Amino acid sequence: MASVGGQEASSSTSQRGAYHVFLSFSGEDIRKTFLDHLYTALVGADFHTFRDNDELDRAGNIKAGLEKAIQQSRSSIVVFSENYASSKWCLDELVMIVERHRRTSEFVLLPVFYHVEPSHVRNQTGSLAAAFAGHEEWFPKERIRGWREALKEVADLAGMNIKNQADGHEAKFIQEIVKEIEKTVILPVLDLPSNLVGMDSRVKDIDSWLQNGSSDGEIMVLYGMGGIGKTTIARYVFNLHHSRFESSSFLASIRETFEKSDGPINLQRQLLADISKRKKTEISSVDDGINKIKHVMSHKKVLLVFDDIDQKKQLDAILGMKDWLYPHSKIIITTRNVRLLMAHASKLKIHNVDGLNYDDSHKLFGRYAFRQDPPSERLVQLSEKVVHQCEGLPLALKVLGSSLCGRGIIEWQSLLAKLQAIPDNKILRKLKISYDSLDDDHDRNLFLDVACFFVGEDKDYMVTILDECEVHTIIGVQNLMDRCLLRVDKDNKVVMHQMLRDMGREIVRQESPKDPGNRSRLWHHKESFSVLKDNSGTENIEGLALDMCTLKTVFCDNSARPGRFGFFSWPVMNSANNSDEMDLKADAFSRMCRLRLLHINYVHLTGGFKGFPKNIKWLRWHGCPLESIPSDFPLQSLVAIDMSYSKLGPGWCGTKVVGEAYGLLSIFYPGSQVPAWFTTRVKGASLSFTVPSSLRTSIGGFSICLVCFVYSNMMDRDEFYAILSNETKDLKLIYGPSCVGCPKANEDMSWVSYWMLKNDKLEAGDELTIFLLSTEAVEVREIGFHLMDLDVGEEADIVEVNQPARPSDGQSGSTRLFGYGTINDTV
């Protein structure tokens, strides 16, 4: 039976009438029989149904009461029987029903012909003719005309006739009427926010899936970060489509319920009660519940929603139902934990719930922040900042919009400033559920590291650094992605929603709200500067970021042009000046013995570095004012260093550092010449020499530079290898550096490495050969060598240099030696 009200299902959920169905009838002949059975069936199907003998206050104005009830109803069933037209009350009531139907397309009007022909109602013939003959003697022609027009209009609608349906069986006919109302009047069985925005586009794919013609039972999973709208979407589509199914159930907050001792059985009881449509269901055990649910589900087309699952055993239990599903049944699951789905992806329809687009975000925020009042131009400008910060997260847009509603501009500015430092607690609690659900402290610490320092960085770069910090980064990143706490974009950059980032930083702030020096991570530049200026840092600090440009609003040279090499851009010298008041002492770091991650951009440190933390893995010092690295600066633990926009010599302005054994420092940068400070430079890919006897002690280290031409885009590893052969000691050191990032083809590249040696591996008089092996993608054109006598702090000149032919194993130009990432000893 077609819908008779022209109602769109998607709009019906917003209708909030007092009654679902208004019953219009007349005659004692049906009041206690057919009508009473119909009323009972409607109520049993959870329709709030109006009938005059139950609902009207007989002491009041009956007409006004009827009119109000009609206006508050979503639909009306008009039961035409032989005596319907004999009542002036029914005819007046019918006129009011027709007027509401004319005004509101969402109002459903269903005529039911109970042993009366539609043509008799349309033309007022048969039993209706006699009734009208009596009315015309007593009532004005205008009123009579209104009754006749209403009867004709309703009779022309598609209705239900007991003579043509259900073989005349009243019980079956009543059930068909109820089903028709279920099709056309969508019951909002679940509460939804009144200010929904953008739902049509967000549920389009889910809507199509729920209506597809697949004969198999199917399962769809909605996943996404907390507050993104998974539950709201699930509730919306449940309200929209539950009437298409014989039974339905929405099990909310499974994660919380499941944790209680009787949680699983209570969930089974609710599910069984919903799909069997019995208010009381007894379940003695989980196994008993499974058997009873299986029995009901295998005989009914059902729609089930399991909201917020987060454990494998919960998913396994739901997947176990798939074999029981009656044809065309559907199950919807919501979760934050994508990892649960990996082993079952082939059995599931997986749907990623994204945030709102920019326009819908503005609309949703405005509905909560401004209500019906048009905002001033200044408030519109401020709202742009809020919407940008929320990044399409509905939870944040609603909470912040409500917080700002009715406030003046000064209050807006103050609250927004506060939110920059301290996220809203309502948002924080919701988002923190995912953080708290992480399996261990390794994953939690990784999340905090990312939130404070690594958003926007290359994922592989981050992994390289944090692996050296004894963080299990690769599996940790996957665990965070599984919980929708971060993602990696198409450019391999680490991306985290701004609200999640703020939540992570707030967790760190709560470690010591009043004393930043006692926190594990400092990312707020003002607090970092204060801690360093006051020398109040403690051993708790593991990471610190300070950008003096932010504090001083220093204009950074626009002539800097980022390149595409390594992890960072190629530096251009910056002219930022540091005043004496902004200078910091290097020994302000002396108590930070656990410091791993350090960003000090455009910072001027005074004094020696003897007490500087020895375990720093990542140093980013943009705009470093030093012209050379001090000899007492601790380089031995560094994994990555970025000295862009600095005054250091060109060999130190590169971007990539990989070091492990022997404290090896390795830097890549665009360049076509060996730097002038290298005391020895030769063309080609090898050199040999004797360590001068003039050196008074053993050698502490040396630097190697090679200049090469890149013919094609570099791979991540194994492009070339540096080999140091000490013929005197029969020792070989092999190092295969990694270069993450792809320079363009046909470009020059320079590689500078600093090797700190141990255990007297290099001494005066030793015969050395250094050569480079490379693939066809790289041509080594020049090599440089610089020897350091660390005990006397002076440079050592090479007095005897030979340039032998390049060693070959018969595969010249394509030889690959293994030993990637470390120096290997070969004796």
Side-chain angles (χ1 to χ4, degrees):
M1 182 66 63
S3 171
V4 292
Q7 175 175 320
E8 291 293 330
S10 62
S11 61
S12 64
T13 54
S14 63
Q15 194 74 6
R16 292 290 186 267
Y19 298 101
H20 299 129
V21 182
F22 181 97
L23 274 179
S24 177
F25 67 99
S26 177
E28 293 301 322
D29 56 333
I30 66 168
R31 179 184 293 276
K32 296 181 179 180
T33 55
F34 177 79
L35 198 285
D36 189 56
H37 295 316
L38 175 59
Y39 176 81
T40 301
L42 289 167
V43 172
D46 294 328
F47 289 104
H48 187 190
T49 306
F50 177 95
R51 64 176 178 180
D52 61 0
N53 59 321
D54 296 315
E55 307 289 344
L56 286 180
D57 180 5
R58 295 296 175 182
N61 187 325
I62 295 178
K63 182 177 180 181
L66 284 171
E67 186 170 14
K68 181 179 180 181
I70 292 169
Q71 295 304 318
Q72 291 182 338
S73 296
R74 300 186 192 183
S75 70
S76 177
I77 298 175
V78 180
V79 181
F80 292 114
S81 62
E82 290 186 353
N83 295 327
Y84 185 89
S86 62
S87 169
K88 66 172 185 177
W89 290 106
C90 280
L91 293 172
D92 283 341
E93 184 178 277
L94 182 65
V95 171
M96 289 186 283
I97 292 171
V98 170
E99 287 177 350
R100 170 146 168 73
H101 182 255
R102 290 169 180 167
R103 292 194 309 270
T104 309
S105 62
E106 294 181 351
F107 181 75
V108 176
L109 178 48
L110 178 65
V112 172
F113 302 97
Y114 184 74
H115 300 298
V116 174
E117 292 298 327
S119 61
H120 293 171
V121 176
R122 183 182 299 109
N123 303 315
Q124 296 90 56
T125 57
S127 62
L128 279 75
F132 268 87
H135 292 326
E136 287 174 346
E137 294 181 9
W138 297 96
F139 300 104
K141 291 182 179 180
E142 190 64 30
R143 190 172 182 183
I144 296 292
R145 183 183 302 111
W147 291 343
R148 290 185 182 277
E149 289 176 354
L151 286 166
K152 183 179 185 304
E153 188 167 335
V154 176
D156 284 339
L157 296 174
M160 303 185 72
N161 189 338
I162 192 171
K163 290 184 179 181
N164 303 329
Q165 294 175 268
D167 299 323
H169 295 285
E170 286 194 3
K172 188 174 182 181
F173 183 54
I174 286 171
Q175 289 302 314
E176 291 186 0
I177 294 172
V178 173
K179 287 182 179 179
E180 185 61 29
I181 290 296
E182 287 178 338
K183 292 179 184 178
T184 54
V185 179
I186 307 301
L187 297 182
V189 292
L190 304 173
D191 289 333
L192 284 170
S194 58
N195 290 322
L196 291 178
V197 168
M199 294 304 292
D200 288 343
S201 59
R202 300 189 89 194
V203 305
K204 183 178 179 181
D205 292 341
I206 308 169
D207 197 46
S208 299
W209 175 76
L210 284 168
Q211 299 182 69
N212 70 25
S214 173
S215 59
D216 296 328
E218 295 181 311
I219 301 177
M220 172 179 278
V221 180
L222 312 182
Y223 80 92
M225 64 178 285
I228 203 69
K230 302 181 297 296
T231 299
T232 299
I233 289 174
R235 284 175 171 266
Y236 185 87
V237 296
F238 185 86
N239 280 352
L240 206 61
H241 292 282
H242 80 278
S243 62
R244 298 176 181 272
F245 299 82
E246 294 178 81
S247 293
S248 58
S249 179
F250 190 105
L251 298 182
S253 304
I254 288 179
R255 175 182 51 80
E256 296 178 8
T257 306
F258 210 81
E259 292 174 353
K260 301 174 183 177
S261 59
D262 58 350
I265 287 183
N266 283 338
L267 289 169
Q268 286 184 324
R269 287 194 182 112
Q270 181 187 340
L271 175 58
L272 186 58
D274 289 344
I275 63 177
S276 64
K277 296 189 176 179
R278 296 176 183 173
K279 293 186 177 179
K280 292 185 179 180
T281 54
E282 294 299 327
I283 295 177
S284 59
S285 66
V286 171
D287 289 339
D288 180 44
I290 290 173
N291 290 330
K292 289 180 177 177
I293 292 169
K294 179 179 180 180
H295 175 73
V296 177
M297 286 179 58
S298 61
H299 295 86
K300 283 189 173 184
K301 176 185 173 183
V302 297
L303 171 63
L304 309 179
V305 176
F306 297 92
D307 177 50
D308 194 17
I309 70 164
D310 72 338
Q311 295 182 28
K312 182 179 182 296
K313 56 185 175 181
Q314 297 165 2
L315 179 63
D316 290 342
I318 297 170
L319 292 176
M321 297 178 181
K322 192 173 188 298
D323 294 334
W324 316 340
L325 291 178
Y326 192 75
H328 307 293
S329 293
K330 304 283 187 178
I331 294 178
I332 294 176
I333 296 169
T334 74
T335 185
R336 304 180 185 199
N337 191 350
V338 186
R339 189 185 353 166
L340 294 177
L341 316 177
M342 300 306 180
H344 308 285
S346 61
K347 303 177 184 177
L348 305 171
K349 174 79 172 178
I350 299 176
H351 179 83
N352 180 20
V353 178
D354 293 320
L356 296 174
N357 61 38
Y358 188 75
D359 290 339
D360 286 339
S361 295
H362 261 287
K363 190 181 297 183
L364 181 62
F365 176 75
R367 289 185 178 180
Y368 283 88
F370 307 125
R371 307 295 181 185
Q372 302 300 322
D373 301 325
S376 65
E377 183 177 347
R378 180 55 179 147
L379 286 183
V380 170
Q381 294 173 350
L382 291 173
S383 71
E384 293 276 349
K385 296 182 179 179
V386 182
V387 171
H388 177 74
Q389 182 176 353
C390 292
E391 293 184 0
L393 188 66
L395 169 69
L397 291 162
K398 290 187 285 188
V399 170
L400 297 183
S402 298
S403 299
L404 293 166
C405 182
R407 298 179 184 270
I409 291 177
I410 294 178
E411 292 175 293
W412 271 61
Q413 292 172 328
S414 176
L415 184 59
L416 290 177
K418 178 184 176 183
L419 290 172
Q420 293 294 323
I422 306 174
D424 183 276
N425 197 45
K426 293 180 183 177
I427 303 172
L428 183 66
R429 284 198 305 269
K430 182 76 172 179
L431 299 181
K432 194 170 180 287
I433 293 171
S434 297
Y435 172 82
D436 291 336
S437 70
L438 292 170
D439 293 336
D440 51 49
D441 289 341
H442 279 283
D443 288 351
R444 294 188 189 99
N445 282 323
L446 173 59
F447 174 80
L448 299 180
D449 280 340
V450 174
C452 294
F453 302 112
F454 287 98
V455 174
E457 299 290 350
D458 183 275
K459 186 201 77 172
D460 294 335
Y461 178 59
M462 178 184 74
V463 168
T464 300
I465 295 166
L466 293 183
D467 274 353
E468 291 295 323
C469 299
E470 298 184 358
V471 175
H472 305 297
T473 319
I474 294 178
I475 186 63
V477 168
Q478 188 59 55
N479 290 341
L480 297 185
M481 293 175 68
D482 290 344
R483 295 285 182 178
C484 301
L485 289 170
L486 64 78
R487 63 185 179 87
V488 178
D489 68 12
K490 61 181 178 61
D491 296 321
N492 206 41
K493 303 296 184 183
V494 178
V495 179
M496 181 179 287
H497 192 283
Q498 185 165 324
M499 288 291 172
L500 288 172
R501 184 206 66 180
D502 293 347
M503 181 266 288
R505 293 180 173 185
E506 177 61 12
I507 290 172
V508 175
R509 194 188 73 84
Q510 290 292 341
E511 294 173 352
S512 179
K514 295 183 178 180
D515 185 3
N518 275 315
R519 298 176 195 159
S520 61
R521 298 159 181 86
L522 293 175
W523 69 91
H524 192 278
H525 302 298
K526 186 176 180 180
E527 290 178 336
S528 297
F529 180 78
S530 177
V531 166
L532 293 175
K533 195 70 174 174
D534 299 339
N535 198 15
S536 58
T538 68
E539 64 178 9
N540 293 333
I541 298 176
E542 299 179 36
L544 182 146
L546 170 59
D547 191 330
M548 296 301 288
C549 282
T550 301
L551 291 181
K552 298 169 59 179
T553 320
V554 175
F555 177 75
C556 295
D557 189 355
N558 283 333
S559 65
R561 292 292 181 266
R564 293 172 297 279
F565 212 93
F567 285 114
F568 301 94
S569 58
W570 172 238
V572 175
M573 299 300 179
N574 188 279
S575 59
N577 295 318
N578 295 294
S579 62
D580 293 339
E581 309 87 65
M582 306 299 276
D583 288 351
L584 298 170
K585 295 181 179 179
D587 62 9
F589 292 90
S590 60
R591 289 195 293 169
M592 303 181 194
C593 57
R594 297 173 60 199
L595 189 65
R596 303 174 290 125
L597 313 170
L598 180 60
H599 297 182
I600 46 173
N601 293 345
Y602 302 100
V603 172
H604 188 195
L605 296 179
T606 61
F609 290 85
K610 185 176 182 180
F612 215 68
K614 304 286 191 296
N615 295 315
I616 297 175
K617 306 296 183 183
W618 183 24
L619 173 63
R620 175 175 288 171
W621 196 351
H622 287 186
C624 173
L626 304 177
E627 295 184 358
S628 62
I629 296 293
S631 60
D632 59 351
F633 193 92
L635 298 172
Q636 61 268 28
S637 296
L638 278 170
V639 179
I641 185 171
D642 176 10
M643 309 291 279
S644 301
Y645 315 110
S646 302
K647 293 185 178 179
L648 295 169
W652 285 100
C653 293
T655 60
K656 178 70 178 75
V657 174
V658 175
E660 182 179 324
Y662 303 93
L664 189 142
L665 197 79
S666 177
I667 305 171
F668 294 90
Y669 63 94
S672 58
Q673 293 182 337
V674 172
W677 56 270
F678 275 84
T679 52
T680 303
R681 287 173 287 175
V682 297
K683 299 295 183 182
S686 64
L687 63 84
S688 63
F689 60 91
T690 302
V691 177
S693 58
S694 59
L695 290 179
R696 285 170 276 173
T697 62
S698 61
I699 308 302
F702 59 87
S703 294
I704 296 176
C705 176
L706 69 85
V707 175
C708 59
F709 185 79
V710 181
Y711 287 102
S712 62
N713 289 345
M714 294 273 294
M715 303 296 291
D716 283 353
R717 60 181 66 187
D718 300 339
E719 294 301 335
F720 55 87
Y721 298 86
I723 302 174
L724 173 72
S725 178
N726 189 331
E727 305 296 338
T728 303
K729 290 184 168 56
D730 196 19
L731 169 71
K732 284 185 180 180
L733 301 178
I734 304 173
Y735 179 61
S738 64
C739 177
V740 182
C742 297
K744 278 188 175 181
N746 302 318
E747 285 188 350
D748 289 314
M749 176 190 73
S750 292
W751 171 57
V752 174
S753 60
Y754 176 58
W755 306 46
M756 288 181 285
L757 300 182
K758 301 176 182 178
N759 302 324
D760 299 327
K761 293 184 181 299
L762 188 62
E763 298 177 294
D766 286 353
E767 299 287 337
L768 301 183
T769 299
I770 298 173
F771 57 91
L772 283 302
L773 296 180
S774 62
T775 67
E776 295 176 350
V778 178
E779 178 189 349
V780 179
R781 293 182 170 178
E782 187 176 10
I783 187 170
F785 186 83
H786 185 79
L787 194 61
M788 294 292 294
D789 181 353
L790 297 184
D791 285 348
V792 298
E794 296 178 353
E795 298 178 355
D797 293 332
I798 302 299
V799 295
E800 183 180 352
V801 176
N802 301 312
Q803 190 170 352
R806 175 175 171 171
S808 174
D809 61 356
Q811 298 180 0
S812 178
S814 61
T815 302
R816 288 177 180 263
L817 301 179
F818 295 93
Y820 165 73
T822 61
I823 305 174
N824 297 322
D825 292 354
T826 304
V827 179

